[in-house]
Amino acid sequence: MRSTLRTRRAPHHRRTTAKLATAVVAGALALTMTACGGSDDKDDDGNKGSGKESGAALQLPKLDGQKVSVAAVWGGSERKVFLKVLDEFEKRTGADVTFVPAQDPIISFLESKVAGGQPPDVAMLPQVGAIEQAVANKWAKPVGPEAQKQLDKNYAKGWQDLGAVDGKQYGVYFKAANKSLVWYNAQVLDNAGAKVPKTWDDFTKAAQTVYDSGVPPISVAGADGWTLTDWFENIYLSQAGPEKYDQLAKHEIKWTDPSVKDALTTLGGLFGKKGFVAGGADGALQTEFPISVKQTFTGGDQPKAGMVFEGDMVSLPISETKAKIGSDAKVFPFPAVGKESPAVVGGDAAVALKDSKGAQALLTFLASPDAAKVWAEAGGFVSPNKSLDLAAYPNDVQRGIAKALIAAGDDIRYDMSDQAPQAFGGTPGKGEWKALQDFLKNPKDVAGTQKALETAAAKAYKD
């Protein structure tokens, strides 16, 4: 990967307040309660959602005969739904859109495309650090006036800031994620007599109760290192607090800090408990994210696991099983390790890599509620677009998550690994992903894991 200068960002979007935690946690608790009554398309007042209307019809240019290419790392069900979004763009503009399958780390993938003289018109970048690197490498093109109008109308400043570098707008955050949720098989917990937990101690007790009933309590997607970073980040944010989280995210404190030791010890206590992780460490390290979800919600009252941690995107793999969200599959906020439950968000931003009319038109479309509506209706998606009518979401669970995210406004605590240079926070087999996969194998080696994390971080942030 090309060495790049770490460009400066305003501290605003690295900050969180109790407002975000309260909004997300309250929303998740509310959706758990409303979900018990099933999932429909009405809010508590019996109305069709409570989001804002999109207003005047979106104006897009005619692009008949023009080719537009879009690169993204999405696969499986996510890719299928995104292709529907691109189909809608084709219908409205007449453009010929091609999806370019990318691999992690996407910056390395794009580097090869740029070097070969074939960069895509638009890339969907899943990390803040990737946007910064694309700008530093002089690949990214600023957002045009029409896309900026949509951003100003539809997005809180916090989400706009996440796509800006040195005050200039480059990214359009199309897809967001609330990464502080635990989904559970309702039948398994009911059969075991386990209660929905609020604290980490309650969580480990519930896990033990599920284990005693004969079902492994936790499904872990160890093959996808990003899920392990999410585990760590939620524990760290709740246990160490927001200030330490910000410092570690910017590598202002080292990964050998005692606060990291505490978080790894907490996580290791769960991963290292015999029988708690479905398939054991070896099985988990061969389990990819969609499978980690599906194996929790298939097999009747004897699935391979009772609970699975991850964001709102869990609902899409669930939709490919027979389980129904809100009755068979329910959700609770990530349990509080410290004083408060954590609230970690992530997202995917569209960035133009070509100065083309088609690229800017696609950014404009993706910044509109019209594009968000296509994916929202399919599920497994939360939009930071505040103009999207909440009725677009297919059930109360998704609607509650989205409502809480929008209510958080500018107060966003962003995924730590996604803020890091991709060499550390977003590369398979390297950096944080590799260190935490090794930790899953040997959760007692806290000191060794800290050393490996700090060695990789020091090099990546220096580069």
Side-chain angles (χ1 to χ4, degrees), residues 286-321:
Q286 297 177 52
T287 302
E288 296 179 340
F289 167 65
I291 300 302
S292 74
V293 177
K294 291 177 182 178
Q295 70 181 14
T296 307
F297 297 102
T298 54
D301 62 356
Q302 289 293 313
K304 291 186 177 180
M307 296 178 281
V308 60
F309 153 72
E310 252 313 330
D312 48 84
M313 71 287 286
V314 165
S315 64
L316 202 52
I318 291 176
S319 71
E320 296 176 348
T321 72

Side-chain angles (χ1 to χ4, degrees), residues 81 351 405:
V81 181
V351 175
L405 185 75

Side-chain angles (χ1 to χ4, degrees), residues 74-111:
W74 289 322
S77 53
E78 286 186 305
R79 183 185 300 178
K80 289 178 184 176
V81 181
F82 186 55
L83 289 175
K84 292 182 180 179
V85 177
L86 298 181
D87 286 345
E88 181 64 21
F89 177 72
E90 282 187 325
K91 289 177 186 176
R92 295 192 183 201
T93 62
D96 181 8
V97 182
T98 301
F99 180 87
V100 181
Q103 295 85 39
D104 278 318
I106 194 168
I107 287 294
S108 295
F109 172 84
L110 293 175
E111 184 173 38

Side-chain angles (χ1 to χ4, degrees), residues 6-82:
R6 296 288 294 163
T7 46
R8 293 182 297 103
R9 306 181 63 84
H12 169 82
H13 48 262
R14 297 276 172 87
R15 185 187 73 234
T16 194
T17 68
K19 179 183 173 185
L20 174 58
T22 301
V24 177
V25 173
L29 287 171
L31 63 90
T32 303
M33 294 171 65
T34 58
C36 294
S39 57
D40 57 37
D41 287 334
K42 296 182 180 180
D43 64 15
D44 293 338
D45 298 320
N47 299 317
K48 294 288 287 183
S50 56
K52 296 179 181 178
E53 297 299 329
S54 60
L58 178 68
Q59 298 295 317
L60 294 172
K62 290 297 181 183
L63 301 170
D64 296 300
Q66 294 189 33
K67 295 184 181 298
V68 180
S69 56
V70 186
V73 297
W74 289 322
S77 53
E78 286 186 305
R79 183 185 300 178
K80 289 178 184 176
V81 181
F82 186 55

Side-chain angles (χ1 to χ4, degrees), residues 55-362:
L58 178 68
Q59 298 295 317
L60 294 172
K62 290 297 181 183
L63 301 170
D64 296 300
Q66 294 189 33
K67 295 184 181 298
V68 180
S69 56
V70 186
V73 297
W74 289 322
S77 53
E78 286 186 305
R79 183 185 300 178
K80 289 178 184 176
V81 181
F82 186 55
L83 289 175
K84 292 182 180 179
V85 177
L86 298 181
D87 286 345
E88 181 64 21
F89 177 72
E90 282 187 325
K91 289 177 186 176
R92 295 192 183 201
T93 62
D96 181 8
V97 182
T98 301
F99 180 87
V100 181
Q103 295 85 39
D104 278 318
I106 194 168
I107 287 294
S108 295
F109 172 84
L110 293 175
E111 184 173 38
S112 67
K113 292 292 183 183
V114 171
Q118 294 183 318
D121 290 270
V122 172
M124 304 301 298
L125 301 183
Q127 290 100 9
V128 170
I131 299 174
E132 293 176 340
Q133 288 179 278
V135 172
N137 288 343
K138 302 189 186 314
W139 302 340
K141 311 302 178 186
V143 164
E146 292 305 314
Q148 188 63 55
K149 285 180 185 176
Q150 289 296 317
L151 285 171
D152 291 341
K153 183 168 67 171
N154 303 323
Y155 285 75
K157 187 176 183 296
W159 283 102
Q160 293 188 55
D161 286 349
L162 284 168
V165 178
D166 289 337
K168 188 171 286 188
Q169 195 72 38
Y170 292 93
V172 171
Y173 270 85
F174 174 63
K175 188 175 187 289
N178 172 355
K179 292 192 169 189
S180 299
L181 301 172
V182 180
W183 300 74
Y184 66 98
N185 186 312
Q187 190 174 11
V188 168
L189 265 67
D190 287 346
N191 289 349
K195 296 180 179 179
V196 172
K198 292 184 179 180
T199 68
W200 186 259
D201 285 344
D202 291 342
F203 179 58
T204 56
K205 288 175 184 175
Q208 184 67 54
T209 302
V210 171
Y211 172 77
D212 291 342
S213 76
V215 177
I218 307 295
S219 180
V220 177
D224 291 319
W226 60 269
T227 66
L228 302 181
T229 70
D230 289 348
W231 270 107
F232 171 82
E233 288 159 8
N234 276 274
I235 290 173
Y236 190 83
L237 176 57
S238 182
Q239 191 170 41
E243 290 184 12
K244 284 280 192 182
Y245 185 98
D246 286 343
Q247 291 169 355
L248 187 60
K250 291 180 279 191
H251 202 224
E252 292 177 351
I253 58 174
K254 294 184 177 182
W255 285 80
T256 49
D257 190 86
S259 61
V260 177
K261 177 183 177 181
D262 291 344
L264 287 173
T265 300
T266 298
L267 181 58
L270 182 73
F271 284 175
K273 188 81 169 176
K274 187 177 179 181
F276 267 31
V277 176
D282 290 341
L285 287 165
Q286 297 177 52
T287 302
E288 296 179 340
F289 167 65
I291 300 302
S292 74
V293 177
K294 291 177 182 178
Q295 70 181 14
T296 307
F297 297 102
T298 54
D301 62 356
Q302 289 293 313
K304 291 186 177 180
M307 296 178 281
V308 60
F309 153 72
E310 252 313 330
D312 48 84
M313 71 287 286
V314 165
S315 64
L316 202 52
I318 291 176
S319 71
E320 296 176 348
T321 72
K322 294 180 180 179
K324 299 210 176 291
I325 294 174
S327 53
D328 306 315
K330 296 183 181 181
V331 63
F332 58 83
F334 195 95
V337 186
K339 292 181 180 179
E340 295 181 352
S341 288
V344 178
V345 300
D348 296 270
V351 175
L353 302 184
K354 285 184 182 178
D355 282 319
S356 68
K357 190 176 180 181
Q360 289 297 335
L362 183 57

